């Protein structure tokens, strides 16, 4: 395979939701002979597209998990990953782009550059992935490839130029003209499998010549010889253009733009030709690792088969036969039966029991895999992002960017018998998806799942039911409120209880006040008693009493934070005083004094950043204002508005749905914890009322 590495292409197909990525991948598989019948994403047959192998994907007509496949086109071996377009599954795009060498950015000819196109573009830039833009859906009403090319320049700041121009648009779309070869491509046959190359029809000649001139003018910046010919107005051939176009694309400073309609089977074969001609082979991409034996110094991977093995686990899936681990090999060779070492797990030695190449949910066994390959291993227990070697090196590949979750839900199994499956499902999902987090809320006792959006969590809840037969109750998590005090107040309390035999007696005197610069500190306790008024052996019981009472504040039963408690006097009885008496005295003293310390309820406030087209700026600002939010800054860039604000967490539930519905699905937001702040007086009264009601019901 080493001699053929020049002909290997590892590409991803990425875009905004509903731009036609999966339909395009389906056509690629058909034309390369990998499948023999085309199925549509929402086809009447109910079979669904090959790359949407999950039942849920076929039902909802969206891609949830990235799917890998490979195909041969002419001399090229192409490894393809079809990625989701929905913002909730953004990590799938992130990890695919981390290991790919090139990409096809699919854009809708009508909608053009949309919000998720911007996100995907940012991800491609993060991993330095060269790309070809494919303007899809040229048969739709309102299709305009030139407008989309213009948006690539304006919104994404690409140096984008058409290397094809469309012949007609909408219902009259006939095919495309290749500006490099100056030939017209028509597609015939039931599924457009026959590409007919003809001379350019007269009505399109002038436009094609003008656009070719623009293209050569743009490429002249990348090559002096071409620039000289262009300025001297000499004839420029396709042979002059091809190497310069490749060099420009690989430099990341140029984006070739193509067009077609995957659904109507036009333009896919020329796109495959362009993938071979203009996107990089594995040796043309610089992949770096960190040498753990040399203070994490950067090392460039060689992409040579004879060098020591380095491969990265970039995606995990729980398949029918156990854990399936997707691997990208950066150098060296791995054979079935070899031993490999997981550098991220203290060089844990693992055997490779089975090696496969993936074709969506089908697999084909292979005996060995080499540098540049994307394969899957069975029975290797590891985490997403682990690096494996053959033991000769101690190198880890740089990790990928994982965004923080923005939304949480409380879930529990409906049936006690489902508890084992519930745990299994949560363990598997957290291993597979780095943006899916699980934690137990110590205060409410609930299991909380967090993710990238409501759809993201909804899919996992549904998968629990289907794949693990575990029905779950889903509720909004209780917001973790806190309580605090605003004023100093005196403590003076005597606990006396006389029953038959020895009684209980303890008196505590002191004060409590707000703790300055509390930060995350819950409270500070200070013993300033003198002369044995409270014997030292009772002081720990006093501290325990205050601490226990502060776990459930008197206002709404929330944790009390930021309090300084000082004991400076008291009384004890030689017979009736005990640890229990002093603990009870301190608990009661706190309850009695607390209302005089101006207590307040604190709520978690989130830092929220919203992005969307400028036309929706007023709408997005309105959504923040409705939720007791406070704007902290706004910025406008390339037709997009970014609004930064601070909003109480309790007001953020359902925000993702409201934002998408009021911005035509173009708005996105990210959210992280900022601070705790006092709630408004009216909200505090509502919370206190609700707490009293809850206590009354519990005591019935």
């Amino acid at each position: 395979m080493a001699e053929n590495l020049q002909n290997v292409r590892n590409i991803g197909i990425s875009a905004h939701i509903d731009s036609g990525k999966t339909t395009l991948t389906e056509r690629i598989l058909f034309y390369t002979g990998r499948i023999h019948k085309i199925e549509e994403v929402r086809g009447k047959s109910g079979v669904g597209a090959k790359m949407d192998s999950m039942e849920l994907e076929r039902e909802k007509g969206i891609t949830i998990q990235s799917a890998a496949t490979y195909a041969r086109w002419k001399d090229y071996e192409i490894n393809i990953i079809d990625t989701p377009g929905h913002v909730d599954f953004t990590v799938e795009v992130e990890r695919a782009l981390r290991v790919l060498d090139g990409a096809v950015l699919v854009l809708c000819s009508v909608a053009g550059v949309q919000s998720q196109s911007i996100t995907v573009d940012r991800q491609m830039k993060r991993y330095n992935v060269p790309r070809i833009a494919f303007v899809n859906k040229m048969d739709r009403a309102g299709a305009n490839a030139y407008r989309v090319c213009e948006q690539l320049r304006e919104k994404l700041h690409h140096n984008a130029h058409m290397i094809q121009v469309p012949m007609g648009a909408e219902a009259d779309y006939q095919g495309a003209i290749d500006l490099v070869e100056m030939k017209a491509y028509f597609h015939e046959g039931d599924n457009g499998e026959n590409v007919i190359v003809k001379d350019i029809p007269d009505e399109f000649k002038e436009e094609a010549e003008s656009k070719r001139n623009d293209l050569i003018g743009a490429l002249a910046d990348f090559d002096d010889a071409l620039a000289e010919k262009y300025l001297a107005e000499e004839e420029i051939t396709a042979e002059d253009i091809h190497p310069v176009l490749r060099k420009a694309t690989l430099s990341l400073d140029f984006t070739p733009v193509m067009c077609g309609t995957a659904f109507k089977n036009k333009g896919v074969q020329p796109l495959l030709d362009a993938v071979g001609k203009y996107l990089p082979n594995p040796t043309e991409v610089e992949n770096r690792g960190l040498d753990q034996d040399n203070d994490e110094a950067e090392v460039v991977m060689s992409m040579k088969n004879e060098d020591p093995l380095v491969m990265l686990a970039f995606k995990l899936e729980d398949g029918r036969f156990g854990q399936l681990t997707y691997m990208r090999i950066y150098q060296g060779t791995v054979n079935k039966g070899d031993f490999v070492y997981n550098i991220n797990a203290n060089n844990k030695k693992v055997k490779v029991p089975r090696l496969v190449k993936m074709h969506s949910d089908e697999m084909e066994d292979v005996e060995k895999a080499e540098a540049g390959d994307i394969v899957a291993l069975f029975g290797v227990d590891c985490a997403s992002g682990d690096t494996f070697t053959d033991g000769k090196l101690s190198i880890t590949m740089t990790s990928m960017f994982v965004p923080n979750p923005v939304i949480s839900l409380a879930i529990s199994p409906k049936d006690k018998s489902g508890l084992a499956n519930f745990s299994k499902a949560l363990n598997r999902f957290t291993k597979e998806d780095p943006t899916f987090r699980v934690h137990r809320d110590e205060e409410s006792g609930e299991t909380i799942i967090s993710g990238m959006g409501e759809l993201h969590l909804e899919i996992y809840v549904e998968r629990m039911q289907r794949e693990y037969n575990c029905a779950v109750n889903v509720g909004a998590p209780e917001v973790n409120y806190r309580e605090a005090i605003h004023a100093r107040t005196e403590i003076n309390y005597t606990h006396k209880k006389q029953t038959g035999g020895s009684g209980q007696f303890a008196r505590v005197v002191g004060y409590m006040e707000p703790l300055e610069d509390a930060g995350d500190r819950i409270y500070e306790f200070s013993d300033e008693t003198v002369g044995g008024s409270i014997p030292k052996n009772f002081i720990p019981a006093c501290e325990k009493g205050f601490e226990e009472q502060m776990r459930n504040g008197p206002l709404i039963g929330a944790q009390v934070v930021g309090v300084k408690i000082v004991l400076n006097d008291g009384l004890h009885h030689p017979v009736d005083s005990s640890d229990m008496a002093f603990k009870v005295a301190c608990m009661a003293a706190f309850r009695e004094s607390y209302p005089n310390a101006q207590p307040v309820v604190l709520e978690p406030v989130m830092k929220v950043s919203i992005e969307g087209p400028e036309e929706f700026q007023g709408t997005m600002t309105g959504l923040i204002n409705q939720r007791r939010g406070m704007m902290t800054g706004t910025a406008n860039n390339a037709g997009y508005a970014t609004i930064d604000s601070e909003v109480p967490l309790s007001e953020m539930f359902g925000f993702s749905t409201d934002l998408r519905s009021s911005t035509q699905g173009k708005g996105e937001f990210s959210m992280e914890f900022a601070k705790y702040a006092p709630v408004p007086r009216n909200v505090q009264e509502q919370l206190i009322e609700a707490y009293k009601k809850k206590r009354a019901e519990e005591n019935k």
Side-chain angles (χ1 to χ4, degrees):
M1 172 123 175
E3 66 277 4
N4 296 332
L5 211 50
Q6 305 296 323
N7 293 340
V8 172
R9 299 289 179 271
N10 292 319
I11 65 161
I13 296 184
S14 305
H16 185 90
I17 190 165
D18 257 358
S19 298
K21 297 175 303 302
T22 302
T23 306
L24 175 63
T25 312
E26 194 77 358
R27 298 308 186 270
I28 289 173
L29 295 180
F30 178 74
Y31 297 133
T32 55
R34 297 292 284 131
I35 58 174
H36 304 292
K37 184 173 185 291
I38 291 172
E39 294 288 354
E40 301 308 337
V41 173
R42 294 184 179 88
K44 292 188 180 109
S45 69
V47 175
K50 174 69 192 169
M51 300 304 279
D52 283 347
S53 57
M54 268 172 76
E55 195 183 330
L56 266 172
E57 293 180 314
R58 291 175 176 177
E59 272 177 34
K60 293 183 182 286
I62 59 168
T63 302
I64 292 168
Q65 290 188 329
S66 51
T69 187
Y70 68 98
R72 282 201 81 83
W73 177 251
K74 297 181 179 172
D75 294 335
Y76 298 104
E77 185 166 322
I78 306 174
N79 291 309
I80 302 165
I81 298 185
D82 173 29
T83 62
H86 202 289
V87 65
D88 287 9
F89 309 108
T90 191
V91 74
E92 290 287 335
V93 186
E94 197 76 45
R95 55 177 159 205
L97 291 174
R98 168 67 186 82
V99 298
L100 293 169
D101 304 323
V104 176
L105 174 62
V106 185
L107 299 157
C108 171
S109 64
V110 182
V113 173
Q114 296 164 275
S115 59
Q116 191 63 7
S117 322
I118 295 170
T119 307
V120 167
D121 181 65
R122 210 168 34 230
Q123 292 169 320
M124 288 180 183
K125 283 175 179 158
R126 186 180 291 133
Y127 299 110
N128 297 324
V129 177
R131 82 294 307 253
I132 293 171
F134 181 71
V135 181
N136 195 19
K137 302 192 176 184
M138 282 301 298
D139 57 313
R140 272 187 65 187
N144 187 333
Y146 299 121
R147 186 182 64 230
V148 179
C149 186
E150 200 52 48
Q151 286 182 351
L152 277 168
R153 292 180 201 142
E154 287 172 6
K155 291 189 175 180
L156 301 181
H157 310 294
H158 282 215
N159 180 14
H161 288 271
M162 313 280 288
I163 61 167
Q164 282 184 337
V165 290
M167 290 186 284
E170 304 181 357
D172 300 327
Y173 182 69
Q174 301 168 50
I177 294 164
D178 184 326
L179 297 181
V180 180
E181 303 281 352
M182 283 304 269
K183 291 287 181 190
Y185 288 86
F186 295 88
H187 299 263
E188 293 178 5
D190 293 344
N191 295 305
E193 58 269 39
N194 303 322
V195 182
I196 311 296
V197 183
K198 296 183 181 175
D199 288 335
I200 300 169
D202 291 344
E203 68 264 36
F204 299 113
K205 261 188 181 154
E206 195 179 318
E207 188 182 6
E209 276 162 11
S210 157
K211 293 293 180 190
R212 187 179 201 255
N213 201 43
D214 292 349
L215 173 65
I216 294 167
L219 290 173
D221 294 342
F222 295 90
D223 186 84
D224 293 342
L226 187 71
E228 280 172 28
K229 274 193 168 187
Y230 176 65
L231 293 169
E233 295 186 3
E234 291 176 27
E235 190 193 335
I236 293 172
T237 64
E239 285 65 39
D240 294 328
I241 298 174
H242 284 309
V244 182
L245 184 46
R246 179 178 180 78
K247 178 174 141 191
T249 307
L250 298 192
S251 74
L252 301 172
D253 293 326
F254 185 89
T255 304
V257 182
M258 303 181 74
C259 58
T261 161
F263 185 60
K264 291 286 173 69
N265 311 311
K266 289 175 183 170
V268 178
Q269 297 96 322
L271 175 65
L272 282 169
D273 289 337
V275 164
K277 282 177 193 160
Y278 309 128
L279 289 183
N281 67 54
T283 64
E284 292 172 305
V285 177
E286 201 171 84
N287 290 295
R288 295 168 180 272
L290 304 173
D291 189 347
Q292 299 304 312
D293 292 339
N294 186 15
D295 201 20
E296 296 207 338
E298 281 201 349
V299 187
V300 176
M301 298 293 101
S302 72
M303 293 308 305
K304 290 179 180 169
N305 291 342
E306 56 272 20
D307 283 351
L309 174 73
V310 177
M311 59 184 182
L312 175 73
F314 67 94
K315 176 176 159 64
L316 310 180
E317 220 174 78
D318 207 29
R320 297 188 296 273
F321 311 103
Q323 183 174 301
L324 186 62
T325 308
Y326 287 78
M327 294 278 191
R328 163 73 202 261
I329 303 175
Y330 288 101
Q331 62 178 49
T333 307
V334 63
N335 296 283
K336 184 177 165 182
D338 279 359
F339 284 98
V340 291
Y341 298 82
N342 186 341
I343 304 298
N344 299 72
N346 297 321
N347 281 333
K348 185 180 168 190
K349 186 178 176 183
V350 217
K351 188 175 183 177
V352 179
R354 192 177 169 198
L355 202 55
V356 294
K357 288 204 96 172
M358 296 304 296
H359 178 39
S360 186
D361 59 341
E362 293 172 15
M363 51 204 73
E364 293 161 22
D365 281 276
V366 289
E367 288 303 310
K368 74 170 186 172
E370 300 175 333
D373 280 351
I374 290 176
V375 289
L377 273 62
F378 265 111
V380 174
D381 186 37
C382 66
S384 188
D386 284 359
T387 305
F388 288 81
T389 72
D390 52 10
K392 295 175 187 167
L393 294 171
S394 189
I395 284 176
T396 57
M397 297 305 292
T398 49
S399 61
M400 65 177 188
F401 171 79
V402 178
N404 287 319
V406 296
I407 192 164
S408 304
L409 288 176
I411 62 167
S412 59
K414 277 186 178 168
D415 205 328
K416 284 275 188 288
S417 60
L419 206 56
N421 278 357
F422 179 70
S423 299
K424 263 190 214 163
L426 291 181
N427 282 338
R428 172 188 159 189
F429 297 153
T430 46
K431 239 180 160 186
E432 279 184 14
D433 183 350
T435 57
F436 179 78
R437 316 265 171 95
V438 181
H439 75 275
R440 184 173 172 78
D441 189 314
E442 295 305 329
E443 294 176 26
S444 64
E446 294 173 312
T447 299
I448 308 288
I449 57 172
S450 308
M452 298 308 296
E454 281 159 305
L455 178 67
H456 188 208
L457 298 183
E458 187 189 305
I459 293 290
Y460 279 118
V461 167
E462 224 165 302
R463 283 182 66 188
M464 261 183 223
Q465 173 118 27
R466 291 179 186 214
E467 296 171 30
Y468 286 89
N469 198 20
C470 175
V472 293
N473 298 312
V474 180
E478 288 183 18
V479 173
N480 291 337
Y481 291 103
R482 299 274 189 264
E483 293 182 29
I485 59 171
H486 268 183
R488 173 175 162 145
T489 185
E490 301 303 315
I491 294 172
N492 190 341
Y493 186 83
T494 305
H495 170 64
K496 241 193 271 188
K497 197 172 182 187
Q498 202 63 47
T499 51
S502 63
Q504 288 184 16
F505 178 85
R507 183 178 177 205
V508 288
V509 178
Y511 62 89
M512 63 178 171
E513 63 183 6
L515 190 57
E516 283 180 37
D517 303 321
D520 290 332
R521 286 184 296 160
I522 289 174
Y523 85 114
E524 194 177 283
F525 176 79
S526 180
D527 169 28
E528 293 177 8
T529 54
V530 287
S533 53
I534 300 177
K536 293 296 172 197
N537 58 315
F538 292 140
I539 294 297
C542 293
E543 187 173 355
K544 202 169 181 187
F546 284 121
E547 190 180 339
E548 208 164 290
Q549 188 56 58
M550 286 170 65
R551 280 184 205 149
N552 301 100
L555 285 184
I556 62 164
Q559 171 85 56
V560 182
V561 295
V563 178
K564 181 177 181 181
I565 295 176
V566 177
L567 282 187
N568 50 26
D569 201 0
L571 272 178
H572 74 285
H573 186 278
V575 177
D576 292 349
S577 287
S578 64
D579 278 349
M580 180 52 77
F582 272 99
K583 182 182 168 183
V584 171
C586 289
M587 289 175 81
F590 185 87
R591 282 197 303 270
E592 185 182 83
S593 309
Y594 189 70
N596 304 324
Q598 296 176 19
V600 291
V601 175
L602 304 177
E603 64 184 344
V605 175
M606 311 304 282
K607 194 168 134 195
V608 178
S609 179
I610 309 178
E611 281 188 4
E614 280 175 354
E615 68 216 69
F616 297 112
Q617 190 161 351
T619 312
M620 296 189 298
T621 306
L623 287 173
I624 294 291
N625 294 337
Q626 286 164 21
R627 289 175 158 72
R628 298 196 281 119
M630 213 168 105
M631 281 171 48
T632 55
T634 59
N636 293 62
N637 183 20
Y640 253 62
T642 304
I643 300 170
D644 293 320
S645 58
E646 290 184 346
V647 189
L649 175 63
S650 59
E651 302 286 342
M652 286 302 293
F653 299 116
F655 182 73
S656 141
T657 309
D658 289 355
L659 176 65
R660 284 182 189 145
S661 59
S662 58
T663 59
Q664 296 171 13
K666 295 176 183 174
E668 289 177 9
F669 79 103
S670 61
M671 177 169 89
E672 59 185 333
F673 174 76
K675 61 184 179 186
Y676 271 95
V679 301
R681 177 64 56 191
N682 63 323
V683 176
Q684 180 161 318
E685 282 164 10
Q686 287 167 15
L687 290 169
I688 292 171
E689 203 52 49
Y691 178 64
K692 282 180 183 167
K693 207 168 166 186
K694 186 179 165 190
R695 289 299 298 270
E697 281 172 10
E698 284 171 0
N699 293 332
K700 269 183 188 173

